[in-house]
Amino acid sequence: MAIGSIEIFISLSQDEDGHLTNRDRDKAEVFNAFFAFVFSRDDGPRGSQCPELEDRDCENGQLPINPETEQDLLLWMDPYKSMGPDGIHPRILKELADVIT
């Protein structure tokens, strides 16, 4: 948490007289106001998440890939981990690495 955020949090947690809140409802409202402030703050324009891909010419929205690198990454997967958000189990990806790439 940044120093400015801590100062804002402390100022939000004080009542009109400058005393810190001690009631649970007041604390909940302070936390709600603080997190709403922190997570809705606009930090300005954001750049690319992958600047190394900006200069590449990608046809039809396809990312440039290296099949050997992809196969190595698939072979390094832990087959005992749970499946990811894509719903594909890592064991399947690892066993079919040569077919996929």
Side-chain angles (χ1 to χ4, degrees):
M1 196 181 320
I3 297 298
S5 298
I6 293 172
E7 292 170 354
I8 292 170
F9 179 73
I10 291 173
S11 68
L12 288 173
S13 60
Q14 294 175 343
D15 61 10
E16 305 84 34
D17 300 327
H19 298 98
L20 293 175
T21 60
N22 57 4
R23 292 184 18 215
D24 290 339
R25 183 174 182 86
D26 293 338
K27 290 178 188 177
E29 289 176 3
V30 167
F31 277 115
N32 184 31
F34 176 72
F35 287 116
F37 168 78
V38 171
F39 290 109
S40 63
R41 180 174 52 188
D42 184 17
D43 294 332
R46 290 187 168 80
S48 172
Q49 296 293 324
C50 297
E52 61 273 5
L53 295 177
E54 286 181 356
D55 298 333
R56 308 257 178 153
D57 292 328
C58 299
E59 297 177 12
N60 299 326
Q62 299 289 324
L63 294 175
I65 60 169
N66 181 349
E68 292 82 24
T69 304
E70 296 299 317
Q71 186 174 15
D72 289 343
L73 290 172
L74 289 171
L75 290 173
W76 274 95
M77 293 186 82
D78 186 354
Y80 301 106
K81 296 282 185 174
S82 61
M83 65 181 103
D86 57 2
I88 303 173
H89 202 280
R91 181 175 178 185
I92 294 171
L93 292 171
K94 184 173 184 169
E95 290 183 12
L96 297 175
D98 58 334
V99 177
I100 294 172
T101 58

